[in-house]
Amino acid sequence: TSGIIKLYAQKESSNFSLRTPDIDSLPVTDDIELGSAYNYINASYREILGQKWSINIGTSYSKSDDDILIDGLDLGKGDEAFSGKIVLGNQATEKIKLRFGGEYQNQKYYQNFGTSEFDVKDNYTAGFVETDIYVTNYFVARVGGRIENSQILDKINIAPRVSLAYKTSKNGQISFAYGDFYQTPQPAYLYQSISPTLNYEKATHYIANYQYITNERTFRIEGYYKDYKSLITQQTDSIDPFIIYTDNEGSGYARGIDLFFRDKKTIKYGDYWISYSFLDTKRKFLDYPVETTPTFAADHILSVVSKYYFAKINTQVGATYRYISGWPYYNPNTTEFLSDVSPALHNLSLNASVLANPWGNFTVFFISWDNALGFDQVYGYNYSGNGENMLVNQAPVKSTVFFGIFMSILYGDDRNVTDEDLDNSEE
């Protein structure tokens, strides 16, 4: 038999509390207590069925509970989910490969508000099929689609998807992808919806990509356009502000370019890579009165990472510079919605790793210095409801230093430390 069974389990818990200024009642403070518990397990089975067929089966279960107390008010929330998936593959011909299967998810969510609890349950089912067609040795097409059904929405959608790839040279390739993607509204909006049943949120993606990859250098450029429809929007009742109407009247778009270049050849024992993203996006969704750039979107993001290895002393040093042009934030004292943008962020981080072999055990001594130049990290500003009070949204400290020792207890005679060990310890 060629079957493989895998099992994975994870358990996490944490507790945290803090006291923070109340923006609406300075200098009053809010006491916040946070606790979380997370359990996850999954199992998968893969088997080859004869010469042309294969089967993959997977199932998982997760449960998450977040205890949230703000000045004694219980705002805890959680979710529980079971899912199963089966995929069958068939090598129909030498140039055609077929995959199809189904998916099922049972999901439960709850949200507390004081002594009240809101909950949502959903059964999600989907079927999918896709075909890889090797038109020539240099041109491959993947054509497929999904059909999905959400019980809570009581609606079915069909999502076609196509991707094309053409090999321009031994190391170069261009590709294009198109697809429709649907998402069930987040539980928070399903809790409070008193309007007719909501619909799926929809995104249509158009992506073009070129990449050139060798063992020592990588270059990739990607352009995309994403069209958003049926996004969640909310309006407060003109008479009763506690009544919120939720519907799917929102829309928007995102377009941009991503660049990536990595070079391990130019500098002996050196490695560096540069990534840059440009994003132009606007949306009218949630409680936004107009279509505008959302608060989580920055126009420009630049990252430069470098590493250099000193072979004689088994030491690697590195530096990372990151630039973000800033995010829009809400200022109630301006007439234009989300017209203010936070200052640009700069961050230079330094690190060093030293490999040693004390008592024959593979050991890494690691130190990192985040925001080494002490740049001000301002992520925006929070205003009180009347706009009179303002707090700067920034990290509690400008710079941090971390020092760690990672030791592997080895047995046997093969205890030699190599250059590759240092790279693996970094990754």
Side-chain angles (χ1 to χ4, degrees), residues 191-202:
Y191 296 144
Q192 55 186 287
S193 174
I194 63 173
S195 60
T197 303
L198 297 176
N199 205 340
Y200 299 97
E201 297 179 287
K202 181 183 178 181

Side-chain angles (χ1 to χ4, degrees), residues 78-82 106-110 120-122 191:
D79 62 78
E80 185 176 12
F82 167 81
N106 176 267
Q107 300 168 315
K108 301 176 183 178
Y109 305 91
Y110 76 86
V120 170
K121 300 177 182 179
D122 189 22
Y191 296 144

Side-chain angles (χ1 to χ4, degrees), residues 64-188:
S64 175
D65 291 291
D66 295 324
D67 297 323
I68 304 173
L69 287 176
I70 301 180
D71 294 333
L73 179 65
D74 183 5
L75 298 176
K77 61 180 180 178
D79 62 78
E80 185 176 12
F82 167 81
S83 66
K85 186 175 183 179
I86 181 171
V87 180
L88 290 167
N90 175 250
Q91 189 71 49
T93 69
E94 183 179 344
K95 293 189 175 184
I96 298 178
K97 185 176 182 179
L98 178 68
R99 282 185 296 273
F100 61 93
E103 183 178 349
Y104 169 76
Q105 297 179 17
N106 176 267
Q107 300 168 315
K108 301 176 183 178
Y109 305 91
Y110 76 86
Q111 171 75 64
N112 293 332
F113 189 83
T115 58
S116 302
E117 179 177 299
F118 305 90
D119 61 76
V120 170
K121 300 177 182 179
D122 189 22
N123 287 294
Y124 167 89
T125 55
F128 53 89
V129 60
E130 64 181 25
T131 303
D132 291 344
I133 304 172
Y134 292 82
V135 182
T136 70
N137 292 335
Y138 304 99
F139 181 48
V140 181
R142 174 174 292 178
V143 182
R146 289 174 64 91
I147 181 170
E148 304 170 326
N149 176 68
S150 169
Q151 184 183 52
I152 195 170
L153 299 182
D154 193 26
K155 290 182 173 65
I156 294 175
N157 69 63
I158 298 176
R161 295 169 190 175
V162 177
S163 62
L164 308 172
Y166 180 76
K167 201 165 184 62
T168 58
S169 64
K170 178 182 177 181
N171 304 111
Q173 176 180 293
I174 59 174
S175 61
F176 173 80
Y178 158 84
D180 287 341
F181 298 84
Y182 292 88
Q183 175 177 284
T184 303
Q186 295 296 312

Side-chain angles (χ1 to χ4, degrees), residues 12-31:
E12 297 179 8
S13 64
S14 64
N15 288 281
F16 178 74
S17 62
L18 61 87
R19 178 167 292 172
T20 183
D22 186 333
I23 187 65
D24 289 308
S25 304
L26 295 175
V28 175
T29 59
D30 290 322
D31 295 324

Side-chain angles (χ1 to χ4, degrees), residues 307 316-318 351-353 364 366 420-427:
K307 297 190 298 183
Q316 180 172 276
V317 297
N351 63 79
S353 300
V364 179
F366 178 78
E420 185 178 357
D421 292 328
L422 184 59
D423 286 337
N424 292 337
S425 70
E426 279 289 299
E427 295 174 0

Side-chain angles (χ1 to χ4, degrees), residues 379-399:
Y379 302 100
Y381 305 89
N382 295 328
Y383 288 84
S384 59
N386 58 17
E388 295 180 357
N389 300 327
M390 183 269 287
L391 289 175
V392 180
N393 183 11
Q394 62 184 145
V397 294
K398 283 189 176 183
S399 183

Side-chain angles (χ1 to χ4, degrees), residues 223-342:
Y224 59 86
Y225 179 83
K226 301 177 182 181
D227 182 37
Y228 301 111
K229 294 181 179 178
S230 301
L231 300 182
I232 290 296
T233 53
Q234 296 180 299
Q235 288 185 349
T236 303
D237 187 272
S238 58
I239 299 177
D240 188 345
F242 292 99
I243 298 179
I244 300 175
Y245 298 97
T246 306
D247 54 35
N248 289 91
E249 299 299 323
S251 61
Y253 69 88
R255 57 192 177 194
I257 296 176
D258 293 334
L259 290 168
F260 177 83
F261 176 72
R262 184 170 186 174
D263 180 10
K264 295 188 287 184
K265 181 179 181 180
T266 303
I267 304 174
K268 187 177 181 180
Y269 301 118
D271 181 12
Y272 70 92
W273 58 93
I274 302 170
S275 61
Y276 168 75
S277 295
F278 167 74
L279 172 63
D280 171 27
T281 181
K282 290 187 177 181
R283 303 183 191 185
K284 186 180 186 302
F285 72 143
L286 303 183
D287 59 349
Y288 284 25
V290 295
E291 184 179 79
T292 188
T293 303
T295 56
F296 53 79
D299 292 344
H300 307 277
I301 299 177
L302 172 68
S303 179
V304 181
V305 182
S306 63
K307 297 190 298 183
Y308 188 84
Y309 179 61
F310 296 91
K312 291 184 179 181
I313 56 175
N314 271 353
T315 299
Q316 180 172 276
V317 297
T320 300
Y321 170 73
R322 188 169 175 83
Y323 165 83
I324 303 176
S325 59
W327 299 272
Y329 65 90
Y330 177 63
N331 182 351
N333 299 309
T334 58
T335 57
E336 187 177 351
F337 182 68
L338 293 185
S339 59
D340 293 50
V341 178
S342 64

